[in-house]
Amino acid sequence: MIGIGVVPGMAKAKTYLLDEDAFLDEKKIVDDPETEYQRFLAAKEVCAAQLEEIMKAMPETMAADSREIFDYQLLLLEDTGFLGMIRTAVENDHTNCEYAVTIAAQKYITLFENMDNDYLKQRTIDMVDISRRLNAILTGREQKTLSGIMEDSIVAAEDLTPSQTAGINRDRVKGILLERGGSSSHSVIIARAMDIPCIVGITRLLDQAVHGETVIMNGTTGEVTPNPTPEQIREYEVYAAKAELEKQQLDQYRKCKTETLDGAKLQVYANITSETDVTALLENGGEGVGLFRTEFLYMAGETLPSEELQYKVYSSIAKKLEGKPLIIRTLDAGGDKNIASLGIEKEENPFLGYRAIRYCLDHPELFKMQIAAVLRAGAWGNTAFMLPMIATIDEVRRTRAMAEEVQAELASKGIPHTATIRMGMMVETPAAAFDAERFAREVDFFSIGTNDLTQYLFAADRMNQRVTGLNSYFQPTLLRAIKHICQCGKQNGIEVDICGQAGEIPSLVPIWVAIGIDNLSVSIPSIPRVRKIIRETRKSDAEAVLEKVLELDTAQEVERFLGQQFR
Amino acid sequence: MIAMELKILNEFGIHARVASRIVRCAGSFASSVCVKKEGEVFDLKTVLGVITLNAKYGESLTIEVEGPDEAEAAKTLEELFAMKFGEN
């Protein structure tokens, strides 16, 4: 089986099949519809009590988003349309209430699915969730959730509902396989937040997966191997042993300084998506947050995060970092990140469309909320803004003016906030790269977003498999562009970071050292590995290699040459 | 009966949280609260009625309020729409 790997990493465990089907309940004819309906009403009360219970058990920071989902489900239980349909089926057609619940839910699901509105399509999961819960109560069968899993498992399901993930047992759930689910679905966000390897879009998964059967999954390639052969198990064990050994060897690189053999100092930051990442970042020796992807705050909930919620999250992270930098990227909506609650229309070319700073500057109310939250969090630590998708000087100036306005408002209201507006920009459009010298005069730091910079530089969609060859970080054109950006930054006395995937590619790390990059912001597990490479690099040697690399013509030549130079 | 035209002012249209607020507000009155759109009637006292209305930012809705406390209900709803349902 194969699907789309959305959270990388390999896992081997027994399959835990979550194959509940809300629509299994058969139609039965009851003799006494009145008593039957009373049975439903009693189940409804139990259901409401369970939902209240789940909401109460949620940690506070998660609550604001996730609690809304259950609050909405509580209203579904009181919905006269939904209830009326169940009542009619029981009282007029004398059907059992399990069947009545199923039909009523199915009717709304069909209605939602036929609407031209992505947000409404996502609401089907709540109908499925509530009808399953009701039917579990009615039949007295146990509802399978991920909180009760006692042995190491790889969960296989069609998709996961909010109820199922609410108490997910992260120590036991080693991987998640889904038949449905896009990269921004509820289940994937949870998997990503908890760093559980995850594969979505596996065709006919539920027909093929067997509960209790051992399976190996690879969240990087999307491969699923049920009943692995001894040979495949050995391969996995080699991987697992290597991963474990590497982890041990890298232990010493968690705490030491980041400097080259000849004393050049850098810092290794990490990219985070939520507050829960900070503990792992500190454990791995991250020297700061080089990129906080705030869009996940916007994706996690059904609604937009308020200024208060954002302030709570940002300030809490800033405190935990104890003075280490926290670079907060302002909302980078659009492109491959569809945020349902923003209601951005589908576009022909989302990567070239209405996204990130373009959207934010057009929605000052929304943007100012985030700016205010960042400025307020600045009272608790070392925070900075980072603006995504900057293509014109004007965008930087308008944002700065807006930040100054917000700052004045906070001051007039006597709300504590930072007095300095530290504002950096992502360099990811060819316009910003080409004119880096001008941009460097406008901002406090550069952060090179190599993923987007590469796709825009080569005009090659990074989601399109057929042009992946163009999207290579070994393209000499890209390396020359990055060198140019870095030089422009240095000439203006600002720091230059890399926060894209290229920052952690082993054979490129010495190149970044040679180019003079100040900070590399990498994925959390890669922090010690990147630091190890830096500590084993001599900057003067790397500079000599860089000189030769910049003379090469093709990505293949660069990759081969670097492979020879740095093992 | 009171009929009024109200506009969706919050940028993100009617999502789950807004729907919950509308239902809780409309539900606190004895009067009926409905919207007629494209020949269909949507009951604003039920969350599925509000959600399936599929109302977007900037859209104007013709809301009909009818019952003993219709004046008060209409006034409260008008305020709720004007304050963007309490969203920032």
Side-chain angles (χ1 to χ4, degrees), chain B residues 14-42:
Chain B
I14 293 184
H15 48 71
R17 177 166 58 196
V18 169
S20 304
R21 288 204 180 126
I22 294 175
V23 172
R24 295 233 151 91
C25 173
S28 65
F29 296 98
S31 304
S32 65
V33 184
C34 299
V35 170
K36 285 201 181 112
K37 183 177 164 182
E38 290 154 16
E40 271 189 84
V41 181
F42 298 87

Side-chain angles (χ1 to χ4, degrees), chain A residues 214-349:
Chain A
T214 300
V215 62
I216 291 178
M217 65 175 286
N218 186 334
T220 314
T221 61
E223 282 169 296
V224 182
T225 317
N227 273 329
T229 61
E231 179 62 24
Q232 287 165 324
I233 293 180
R234 261 195 305 280
E235 263 172 44
Y236 167 78
E237 278 164 356
V238 169
Y239 161 88
K242 230 168 116 186
E244 182 57 30
L245 186 72
E246 196 187 7
K247 218 175 108 199
Q248 283 173 11
Q249 283 176 343
L250 287 174
D251 247 2
Q252 53 172 310
Y253 293 99
R254 284 172 213 279
K255 294 283 168 263
C256 55
K257 270 194 243 167
T258 313
E259 59 180 6
T260 61
L261 290 171
D262 45 354
K265 288 185 179 54
L266 283 87
Q267 298 207 78
V268 182
Y269 295 161
N271 304 336
I272 66 167
T273 57
S274 77
E275 193 183 338
T276 48
D277 290 341
V278 180
T279 318
L281 177 142
L282 294 172
E283 275 169 12
N284 282 286
E287 291 164 282
V289 170
L291 164 62
F292 178 19
R293 299 189 164 103
T294 58
E295 52 278 7
F296 287 93
L297 273 177
Y298 291 76
M299 285 186 199
E302 299 303 309
T303 55
L304 294 164
S306 63
E307 178 188 321
E308 278 311 309
L309 174 84
Q310 292 189 56
Y311 164 66
K312 227 182 208 173
V313 174
Y314 303 156
S315 59
S316 158
I317 297 174
K319 283 180 216 170
K320 284 182 187 163
L321 290 172
E322 296 176 333
K324 295 185 187 73
L326 165 59
I327 298 176
I328 301 171
R329 180 171 69 187
T330 60
L331 178 59
D332 189 17
D336 55 342
K337 282 164 295 213
N338 176 34
I339 298 175
S341 51
L342 295 183
I344 298 178
E345 280 168 31
K346 272 219 168 73
E347 298 181 323
E348 285 281 316
N349 284 307

Side-chain angles (χ1 to χ4, degrees), chain A residues 149 151-153 168-174 194 196:
Chain A
I149 293 183
E151 61 177 335
D152 289 358
S153 308
I168 189 166
N169 187 341
R170 140 179 231 179
D171 294 332
R172 290 286 171 250
V173 177
K174 299 292 178 195
M194 301 204 157
I196 299 172

